[in-house]
Amino acid sequence: MVHITEDLVRRRAEHNNCEIFSLEEISLHQQEIEKLEHLDKWCRDLKILYLQNNLIPKIENVGKLKKLEYLNVALNNIERVENLEGCEDLKKLDLTANFIGELSSIESLKCNIHLKELFLMGNPCTEFEGYRQFVVATLHQLKYLDSKEIERSERIKALQNYPEVKRKIREQEQTYLLRRAREKEEAQRRMQERKDEKQKQMDSKLGFDSPDSLQGKPNHAEGDGQQEGCRAVENDDEDRKFWEEPTPYTPESRLETHRYIEEKRRAKDNIRESKKREKTSWTLVTAEGKVLNVNVPKYLDTSLLDVDVQPTYIRVLVKGKPFQLVLPEEVKPDSSSAKRSQTTGHLVVTMPKAKEVILAKQKVSASIKHSDCNTQQKNTRRSGQIEKLEVDPSKYSFPDVTKIIQEQERTGQGPIKFQPQKVTEPKSCVDLENNEDVPPLI
């Protein structure tokens, strides 16, 4: 049974910052509510209230909503109009598709002088002879009935025949109430039969699962499979019988259907939860003592990770599911660390090796030591100066670009190419004599 709770009202009051004391409009439709309560204490300023498509059997606990202007309780199990005298500002009332058979109960709406629109479509009372005339003559303040405007001539005519119409309505009400009493008895009998049948099924299941019946079964796995198959067939037969059985449309049958659906849904949820609880057995180490590699799904939260580093393997538990890797060498678990990136989500586990390779120092000759000292001194001397890049031309040779293409003598026709003449240096004349009589050339 679903009740109107403070948490439910706050969740449906998001448009008002989840504040309920100043709430003016709220929608509680399709919540499977079976009782109307608490709203007159928590939400005194309500003006619009939607409660359609629930299981409310009675209008109650709304008398203190003085500012309520629109009440929608369509598609519920309401059988009479009542407890609305305190809603002084009520202007619109929607009672579509309920089970109102006491049409005379609308006389309680005479106190709601601001009521302009009333909806009674889909109720048993609408099938009564003189239904519209009775409502129009009873509620003088109405402007619209079942979305149809009430003309002045229609109201005058209804008032003229009001005594006769009222008498007929009373007679039809009595007939309807007698039929409803029989329907209630039939519904109670049917519910009792269903309870007895369920009790028999439970007894038969207990007998089927008793130790005496299980002794003769050689294979328990096959027995479990057969038992599940029998249960599935029984459930299918039960569903078929329930939905194919003809039943009258009454508040009891509607409530029974809802509870049956809820029971089936709860049973499926229990089966699903039981399957989730059944943890699969993970083989991490074989009988021979060999550790295996085991993987788990990715994209998981860090809080669900539990890293365990061992000398020969690493194991990461994620919600009880292991991810295990065998290490090629032994590591130091005490010196290991695990980190996860907040951006990429990568898990980095650092594991230092247990047997690190230590290289022995080689003996260095005295000459090499002396040269090392000289180089160290040079380096310290150069550290005070600005380091420059030096290029040794003997180690690096650059090609001559001008000699890439070899010159060849040109033969044949074509433009004449003049080559520069080679200038010969004058030979030094060592054998010449210096004559003083000859003047200098300059």
Side-chain angles (χ1 to χ4, degrees):
M1 184 175 179
V2 180
H3 297 273
I4 298 177
T5 61
E6 184 178 351
D7 180 61
L8 174 62
V9 176
R10 290 192 183 278
R11 282 190 285 110
R12 304 299 293 182
E14 294 179 352
H15 59 283
N16 198 43
N17 296 326
C18 297
E19 295 179 359
I20 62 175
F21 67 92
S22 61
L23 196 62
E24 295 185 356
E25 179 180 349
I26 188 171
S27 179
L28 297 173
H29 64 285
Q30 296 181 350
Q31 297 293 323
E32 300 175 357
I33 299 170
E34 297 187 24
K35 187 176 182 180
L36 184 54
E37 55 186 349
H38 302 310
L39 292 178
D40 58 336
K41 300 176 183 178
W42 298 338
C43 312
R44 291 291 185 90
D45 295 336
L46 270 181
K47 292 183 179 180
I48 301 175
L49 178 57
Y50 295 98
L51 289 165
Q52 65 269 28
N53 202 0
N54 283 290
L55 300 169
I56 300 172
K58 183 180 180 181
I59 301 175
E60 56 185 342
N61 299 320
V62 292
K64 295 180 181 180
L65 301 177
K66 304 296 182 180
K67 300 180 181 180
L68 187 64
E69 298 179 0
Y70 177 34
L71 176 61
N72 190 334
V73 285
L75 290 167
N76 279 279
N77 295 344
I78 299 171
E79 296 193 56
R80 66 192 315 269
V81 184
E82 56 186 344
N83 301 324
L84 290 172
E85 295 83 0
C87 303
E88 298 174 356
D89 289 342
L90 188 63
K91 298 178 181 179
K92 186 176 180 180
L93 178 61
D94 194 345
L95 293 164
T96 303
N98 276 275
F99 297 92
I100 298 175
E102 296 184 43
L103 186 57
S104 60
S105 62
I106 66 168
E107 294 178 353
S108 62
L109 297 175
K110 289 180 179 181
C111 300
N112 306 98
I113 58 176
H114 298 289
L115 184 63
K116 304 299 179 183
E117 296 183 58
L118 178 63
F119 297 87
L120 291 170
M121 297 177 294
N123 285 275
C125 63
T126 57
E127 300 177 1
F128 293 172
E129 183 182 353
Y131 146 73
R132 186 175 177 85
Q133 295 177 6
F134 178 79
V135 177
V136 170
T138 304
L139 303 176
H140 300 169
Q141 71 274 28
L142 277 185
K143 299 294 182 183
Y144 294 90
L145 176 60
D146 297 336
S147 300
K148 185 178 179 181
E149 187 178 0
I150 301 173
E151 300 290 343
R152 184 181 178 184
S153 58
E154 183 182 5
R155 176 166 278 114
I156 293 173
K157 187 177 180 180
L159 289 171
Q160 291 175 352
N161 301 327
Y162 183 66
E164 182 66 20
V165 172
K166 186 176 181 179
R167 183 183 61 81
K168 291 181 179 179
I169 292 295
R170 295 286 186 181
E171 293 176 356
Q172 295 175 81
E173 276 185 2
Q174 294 298 324
T175 306
Y176 172 79
L177 292 176
L178 291 174
R179 188 171 76 248
R180 277 292 296 133
R182 291 194 297 268
E183 289 175 353
K184 290 180 180 180
E185 293 178 0
E186 182 67 20
Q188 291 179 358
R189 183 186 60 80
R190 190 165 53 251
M191 288 178 63
Q192 188 63 35
E193 289 179 356
R194 189 165 282 108
K195 286 182 180 179
D196 296 341
E197 186 176 354
K198 284 184 179 180
Q199 188 63 33
K200 290 180 181 180
Q201 290 179 359
M202 292 296 293
D203 295 340
S204 63
K205 288 179 182 179
L206 291 174
F208 184 76
D209 296 335
S210 61
D212 297 336
S213 61
L214 293 174
Q215 286 179 358
K217 293 183 180 180
N219 191 346
H220 294 286
E222 294 180 0
D224 295 340
Q226 292 177 1
Q227 186 175 356
E228 291 180 359
C230 293
R231 289 177 180 174
V233 172
E234 289 177 0
N235 291 333
D236 292 341
D237 294 340
E238 185 180 358
D239 289 341
R240 193 179 300 108
K241 181 180 179 181
F242 179 83
W243 293 113
E244 291 180 356
E245 182 182 2
T247 54
Y249 183 66
T250 61
E252 293 78 18
S253 64
R254 191 166 180 262
L255 188 61
E256 182 183 2
T257 302
H258 163 72
R259 289 178 177 171
Y260 180 81
I261 295 173
E262 190 67 24
E263 182 182 350
K264 291 296 181 182
R265 187 191 310 164
R266 199 179 299 111
K268 289 182 180 179
D269 292 341
N270 293 337
I271 294 173
R272 196 179 296 112
E273 289 295 330
S274 62
K275 288 182 179 180
K276 287 182 180 179
R277 294 193 197 99
E278 295 176 359
K279 297 182 179 179
T280 56
S281 58
W282 299 89
T283 305
L284 304 178
V285 183
T286 60
E288 294 79 11
K290 181 181 179 181
V291 183
L292 302 177
N293 291 333
V294 182
N295 196 3
V296 292
K298 54 183 178 179
Y299 306 119
L300 294 168
D301 191 71
T302 308
S303 60
L304 304 175
L305 298 176
D306 184 13
V307 182
D308 181 19
V309 179
Q310 297 295 332
T312 57
Y313 66 92
I314 176 175
R315 180 184 302 165
V316 182
L317 293 178
V318 184
K319 297 173 66 175
K321 299 179 181 179
F323 168 75
Q324 184 169 287
L325 288 176
V326 181
L327 303 176
E329 297 183 23
E330 290 189 7
V331 298
K332 297 179 180 179
D334 298 337
S335 304
S336 302
S337 63
K339 298 180 181 179
R340 192 178 186 190
S341 174
Q342 294 182 354
T343 55
T344 61
H346 294 165
L347 178 66
V348 180
V349 182
T350 305
M351 299 171 288
K353 295 181 181 179
K355 298 179 181 179
E356 295 183 355
V357 180
I358 302 174
L359 299 176
K361 292 184 178 179
Q362 299 179 357
K363 293 183 179 180
V364 184
S365 61
S367 61
I368 296 175
K369 287 183 179 179
H370 183 69
S371 63
D372 291 342
C373 292
N374 293 335
T375 54
Q376 187 176 2
Q377 291 177 0
K378 290 180 181 179
N379 291 333
T380 54
R381 222 180 289 127
R382 290 177 181 174
S383 62
Q385 302 176 357
I386 300 174
E387 295 184 359
K388 296 182 179 180
L389 179 64
E390 297 181 359
V391 180
D392 188 1
S394 63
K395 294 183 180 180
Y396 303 96
S397 61
F398 299 95
D400 189 0
V401 182
T402 60
K403 296 181 180 181
I404 292 177
I405 302 175
Q406 297 180 358
E407 295 183 357
Q408 297 180 358
E409 295 182 358
R410 297 180 61 86
T411 58
Q413 300 178 357
I416 299 174
K417 183 177 182 182
F418 296 96
Q419 296 182 358
Q421 296 180 358
K422 296 181 180 180
V423 179
T424 59
E425 296 180 358
K427 297 181 180 180
S428 62
C429 299
V430 182
D431 298 337
L432 294 177
E433 294 179 359
N434 186 12
N435 192 354
E436 295 178 358
D437 298 334
V438 178
L441 296 176
I442 298 175

